[in-house]
Amino acid sequence: MAFVKPIAILFVEITIYSLVSLVLIYIVAFLFFDFQIRGNFLKFFLSFILVMLSIFSIGMMLGGIAPNMKITSTVASILYFPMLIFSGASLPYESMPNALQNFANLLHLTQGIKLLKATGLGFPIDNIFFPIVLMVSIIMICTTVSLKFFKW
C-alpha cells in the first residue's frame, strides 16, 4: 500500500481552503456590501493566495510541533488574535497611533492586508518587496518546520 506524502496532504488542504474561502468572501462582499474589485483581479488573487499560505503555514507548523490539540489552539489564539486586531483587519490601521502602526508593520498579516487593499481597490502598491519577502519567508520557514515534525 502506498502512503500519501505529508506535503501532498498539506497542499490539497491549503488549496481547497484557500479557494473556498476566496469564493465565499467574494460572494458575501458582493451580495451584502456591493464590493467590486476595482484593481487587477489576478494581482488580488495572487495576493490572497500569498496571505492565505502564510497564515496556513503558521497553523500547520503549530499543529506539527505542539504535543496536542489543546496547546495548538491556545498558542494559535495567542498568535492570531493580536494579528487580527493590529493588522487592520478589524481595527482601521490608519487610525492607530504611530507607535502601534510601527509595531503592526512587523506583522505579516498587516502587510497582507495592505497588499489586498492595494490590489483589490486599485491603489498603487508603495513597497511590494517587503510584504512579499516577509510572507514568502514565513511560508518557507513554517512549511519546512511543519513537514519536519508532521505526525499522522
Side-chain angles (χ1 to χ4, degrees):
M1 176 192 276
F3 288 101
V4 178
K5 292 183 179 182
I7 188 81
I9 293 171
L10 297 177
F11 179 76
V12 169
E13 282 188 20
I14 289 171
T15 302
I16 290 170
Y17 289 139
S18 295
L19 293 176
V20 168
S21 65
L22 176 63
V23 169
L24 291 176
I25 288 170
Y26 187 77
I27 289 170
V28 168
F30 178 77
L31 292 176
F32 297 107
F33 301 104
D34 196 31
F35 174 77
Q36 293 180 4
I37 293 179
R38 291 184 228 140
N40 183 313
F41 181 79
L42 180 61
K43 289 179 183 177
F44 178 78
F45 177 75
L46 293 174
S47 299
F48 183 84
I49 295 299
L50 188 63
V51 172
M52 293 298 291
L53 287 174
S54 67
I55 290 171
F56 282 143
S57 69
I58 293 171
M60 296 289 187
M61 180 188 71
L62 291 176
I65 62 176
N68 59 48
M69 186 182 279
K70 188 174 184 176
I71 291 175
T72 302
S73 296
T74 303
V75 174
S77 294
I78 290 169
L79 289 176
Y80 284 125
F81 284 114
M83 276 195 285
L84 287 174
I85 292 168
F86 299 121
S87 67
S90 56
L91 296 175
Y93 171 84
E94 295 77 15
S95 67
M96 293 180 195
N98 286 338
L100 198 52
Q101 285 184 4
N102 291 335
F103 167 73
N105 282 331
L106 300 174
L107 301 173
H108 80 284
L109 190 55
T110 302
Q111 299 303 319
I113 298 292
K114 288 180 177 182
L115 206 56
L116 289 169
K117 278 184 184 177
T119 56
L121 298 173
F123 297 153
I125 302 171
D126 297 333
N127 183 3
I128 195 167
F129 183 74
F130 179 70
I132 291 175
V133 168
L134 180 64
M135 286 186 278
V136 168
S137 298
I138 288 172
I139 292 167
M140 290 172 58
I141 292 166
C142 293
T143 301
T144 301
V145 171
S146 69
L147 290 173
K148 181 172 174 69
F149 293 100
F150 183 82
K151 298 173 240 147
W152 285 103

